[in-house]
Each structure stands twice: as structure tokens, then as C-alpha cells.
Amino acid sequence: MTVTQPDVTVVIGAYEAMPYLVECLRSVEAQTLDPARIEVVAVDDGSTDGTGEYLEQFAARAATHVTVIRQENSGGPSSPRNVGLGKATGRYVFFLDADDRLAPEALERMVAMADRNGTDVVLGKVEGINRVPPRAAWVETLERTDVFHSNIKFTLSAQKLFRRALLERHSMRFDESLFTGEDALFTMEAYLRADGVSVIADHVCYYLVGRDDGKHVTKSGSYTLRFDSARALMNLVAEMVPPGVERDKLMLRPFLVTLLPQFGPKYLGDSEQVRRHKFELAKPLMDAHWTPEVALRLKVNERLRLQLVAEERPELLLDVAEFVKSKKRPSAVVEKRGRRVYLAYPHFRSGEAGLPDSLYLAEPREAREVEGYREGAAGAFLRRVTRKARRVLR
């Protein structure tokens, strides 16, 4: 008897997933892709709430082939995903979280997209249920793109379709030493190694479900884990992408999404000991990867806060963080007949602080909101600022 290779293996890592697992598995059964073309590998990571038993019941009745593996609790999502990936036989792999759901046509649409374009990764549009989903990557459907010419760097979760041959060729697995951000590391590497990435923006493929019990992994964990995640992602980008514009584009993501929130409003509630520790953890990352080109890609308040971290000036950072928390709009200073717009966040043109005006200079996306700004006239000036920024910010 000839066994046909499934099109896609759905890997489900599950820990204490009841009752969310019920709807998750229903969404797999509801797929419009032929059940014979789907394989499910579900790994119960030491649950005590009946998750493992429910998976076995599902395997006994499902029309598709289901393998259930039960193991001791590993403490994170990487191990069950790796175990599932090791058992996968499909042409593609999709990592489905046990508390989330697939839309009915998700697998059929994603497999068709990958087959049509020969791409190695497919991003299906995400919607949230009791959660706010990422949106930047799904502005438009893209048959073929890459991480440098799209916004896909802002969605690094594992819930995507990956060509299994790509993962096996490069021996890709989730880093089990990371307890948050492990999916960002895995997905960024896949983007960088992929022969093309596709984006489905005109059809919802995945529902990101917010748990009522607050046990979602991204909501838990020490701040030190965030720095571990940022460090791993920055090191990966530095290893795989030569210095220059393309590296700067990718470095923007860990600085903006992972590091910056540690120095925002939550920083105000930290103890003095935690604040000092955050600066200590940030220092090697700032020294190694913070560049003027990355800084100029950020909004003024983002750039200013990170520059104060880089300069190790916590006393000034507190004032800026307070201002950001207040949600006040900074006054705008328009100069050079509209060619320059400065946003006067705390310590702007303070002789005591001694911060350069360039930190407060608004890029066009922010300056457009200011009356009197002349965008066309600002281009030459901004190019001069970019040339000078490396010396000034260092």
C-alpha cells in the first residue's frame, strides 16, 4: 500500500489547554483541505487538567491522522514544538497554539499560496479574540516578498506555514533555553533563509485567542526574559546580515518591540534596583547594535528614550517616561521655513542636559501632523542629518 505524504503537518504543543483546546481541535476538523492531506502531531507537555486525555479522544475519532505524544512538563513551548516537528512528515508544517483557532479555509489557502509561488513561508492574516492582533504585516496580499521589503519582521510568532524541507535543510529548531521570544528567533531565521515569503491579507486564516485565565505565555515571565529574547534576536541578525541598511531594518524590530517597552511607563513602577539592572542588561546590547541609522527609523520619543539608555542617563529617562505615560502631545518647534520640525519632549534644548537637537527632529511620518511642515523641502536636510547622525549620537 502506498502512503501519500500529507500536504501539511499541524503541530500542536499543549499545556493546561482546557477548555480552549476543544475549539482549537474543532477548527482543525473544520478545514476545507482534504483530511487525508492533513497530519496532526499533538504534544501534551505534562498537563494535569485533562488536556492529554482529550487529545487521545480526538485522535481516536478524527478523520485525519493524529499522533499524540505525552511528556513531562518542559517549562516552555519550545520542547513540544521541537518534538512535534521531529515527528512531522508533511511537505509543510504549521504550528498551532492549543488556545487558538484556524479559520476553515486556512490550510487550503496557505498551501495553495506556497505551491503557486514556490515560497518557503506563508503568513495567513490574523484576527484577535479578546486580544489585539498584529496588523502591520497584513496591509496587502503579497504573492512573493522577503523580510527586507515588507513589514513581516513585525510578526515573528510561530503561527505560520513553513516548508519542512527548509527547516530540515538547516536543522532549524526552537531554542529551548529561551522561555519567551523563542518563536521570534525561529521565524526570523526562517525569513532570512527562505526562498520567498507569501502574505495572505485578504482572508483571515488564524484567530489569536486571549485566555480569560490570563495564562497566555506572552503575558507572563520576568523582565530578564525579555532581555534574553532581545539579545538572541539581535545576535542572530548580526550573524546573518552584514552591517548596513538591511541589518538596520531588522534591528529596528527587537529595539522597538522587545527592548523599548522596558523603558516606558512600566519603568516608572520599577524599584531602583530593577531600574539599575535593566540598564546593566541593556548596555551590551546598546553598545553592540544601537546605531544612528536604527535611531533615525524611530519616532522621537522612542529614539530619545533608547538614546538615554545608551548614554546611561536614567535621571533624564524618568522625565521622558513620565511625559510618555501622561499621553501629552509635545509642542512642535518649526524652523527653516517648515523644513525642520522638532518635538519638544523633556530636556529639549536644555543646557544642563546637553542633548543634541537631532534627537528631537521629527521624521516625515511624525512631522506631517504639524502645521507648517514642508515635506518636499525637508528631504535634503534629512539626508544631511543622516550623514551627521553617526558622529552626533555616538
Side-chain angles (χ1 to χ4, degrees):
M1 182 177 68
T2 302
V3 178
T4 303
Q5 181 185 26
D7 282 340
V8 58
T9 299
V10 179
V11 173
I12 305 174
Y15 174 67
E16 305 288 273
M18 298 298 288
Y20 302 92
L21 180 62
V22 175
E23 291 300 325
C24 173
L25 296 179
R26 281 179 183 165
S27 76
V28 175
E29 288 185 294
Q31 289 303 294
T32 55
L33 191 66
D34 186 341
R37 297 168 62 186
I38 302 173
E39 170 188 61
V40 176
V41 179
V43 181
D44 172 32
D45 197 37
S47 301
T48 60
D49 66 344
T51 289
E53 291 78 5
Y54 192 82
L55 287 172
E56 290 176 346
Q57 294 168 18
F58 175 75
R61 65 175 168 76
T64 192
H65 182 265
V66 180
T67 299
V68 176
I69 300 167
R70 302 183 72 171
Q71 65 180 32
E72 294 292 323
N73 180 250
S74 66
S78 292
S79 173
R81 286 175 181 163
N82 287 339
V83 170
L85 180 55
K87 296 291 185 180
T89 65
R91 294 190 297 124
Y92 300 99
V93 178
F94 189 92
F95 297 100
L96 171 61
D97 279 1
D99 41 14
D100 294 338
R101 305 168 198 169
L102 289 167
E105 298 179 19
L107 296 181
E108 183 177 12
R109 286 177 177 271
M110 288 188 286
V111 168
M113 176 70 96
D115 284 347
R116 182 167 65 250
N117 297 289
T119 45
D120 288 334
V121 185
V122 179
L123 287 66
K125 185 177 181 179
V126 175
E127 285 291 345
I129 299 176
N130 297 326
R131 287 185 69 183
V132 178
R135 301 190 186 281
W138 289 282
V139 175
E140 60 178 331
T141 293
L142 301 171
E143 295 284 322
R144 173 175 278 268
T145 188
D146 59 47
V147 72
F148 303 110
H149 298 92
S150 66
N151 282 329
I152 64 173
K153 63 179 174 291
F154 289 113
T155 173
L156 296 181
S157 62
Q159 294 78 43
K160 296 164 179 63
L161 190 78
F162 299 91
R163 190 178 297 272
R164 191 166 66 86
L166 170 77
L167 307 183
E168 297 303 327
R169 183 163 61 249
H170 298 287
S171 301
M172 288 182 56
R173 293 295 187 270
F174 293 88
D175 187 337
E176 296 186 23
S177 70
L178 293 176
F179 292 93
T180 186
E182 77 296 327
D183 49 353
L185 198 66
F186 181 92
T187 304
M188 180 64 84
E189 182 177 353
Y191 287 165
L192 289 169
R193 296 192 184 281
D195 179 11
V197 178
S198 298
V199 178
I200 298 174
D202 56 357
H203 188 88
V204 176
C205 292
Y206 196 85
Y207 291 100
L208 197 65
V209 179
R211 293 180 61 137
D212 295 329
D213 57 14
K215 290 183 179 179
H216 197 278
V217 68
T218 58
K219 294 183 179 180
S220 60
S222 164
Y223 67 90
T224 60
L225 300 181
R226 311 297 174 182
F227 284 92
D228 292 342
S229 173
R231 184 184 309 109
L233 188 56
M234 289 175 178
N235 288 343
L236 174 74
V237 171
E239 289 169 7
M240 296 191 66
V241 185
V245 173
E246 291 189 334
R247 180 189 286 187
D248 294 332
K249 287 180 181 179
L250 301 191
M251 282 295 180
L252 180 65
R253 198 274 181 187
F255 274 115
L256 182 60
V257 176
T258 310
L259 208 61
L260 184 65
Q262 300 305 319
F263 300 100
K266 68 169 60 175
Y267 178 78
L268 298 171
D270 292 334
S271 67
E272 189 59 34
Q273 181 181 4
V274 169
R275 290 174 183 172
R276 286 197 301 269
H277 192 209
K278 285 186 173 183
F279 267 78
E280 291 169 4
L281 293 171
K283 180 174 172 50
L285 304 183
M286 305 305 294
D287 290 348
H289 306 299
W290 178 244
T291 67
E293 289 76 13
V294 173
L296 287 171
R297 295 177 182 275
L298 295 167
K299 293 181 179 179
V300 171
N301 90 76
E302 299 163 347
R303 178 198 312 152
L304 178 59
R305 279 184 281 155
L306 286 174
Q307 184 62 28
L308 293 174
V309 173
E311 294 184 11
E312 300 182 75
R313 304 187 72 177
E315 72 287 353
L316 301 187
L317 177 62
L318 280 172
D319 295 334
V320 179
E322 286 280 9
F323 191 93
V324 171
K325 183 180 180 180
S326 73
K327 297 184 179 180
K328 297 177 182 177
R329 290 177 63 90
S331 58
V333 178
V334 182
E335 298 180 349
K336 297 294 182 181
R337 297 182 180 179
R339 290 178 298 172
R340 305 184 195 180
V341 173
Y342 298 98
L343 299 182
Y345 283 94
H347 307 295
F348 175 61
R349 291 182 176 168
S350 161
E352 184 178 352
L355 298 173
D357 284 3
S358 57
L359 283 176
Y360 297 85
L361 181 67
E363 295 292 295
R365 59 177 173 162
E366 281 193 284
R368 290 186 193 110
E369 300 178 5
V370 176
E371 185 177 354
Y373 170 62
R374 296 172 57 209
E375 183 169 354
F381 173 72
L382 288 173
R383 285 192 292 272
R384 290 197 300 273
V385 168
T386 302
R387 287 195 296 269
K388 294 177 181 178
R390 185 178 297 276
R391 183 183 72 254
V392 172
L393 291 179
R394 283 182 175 173

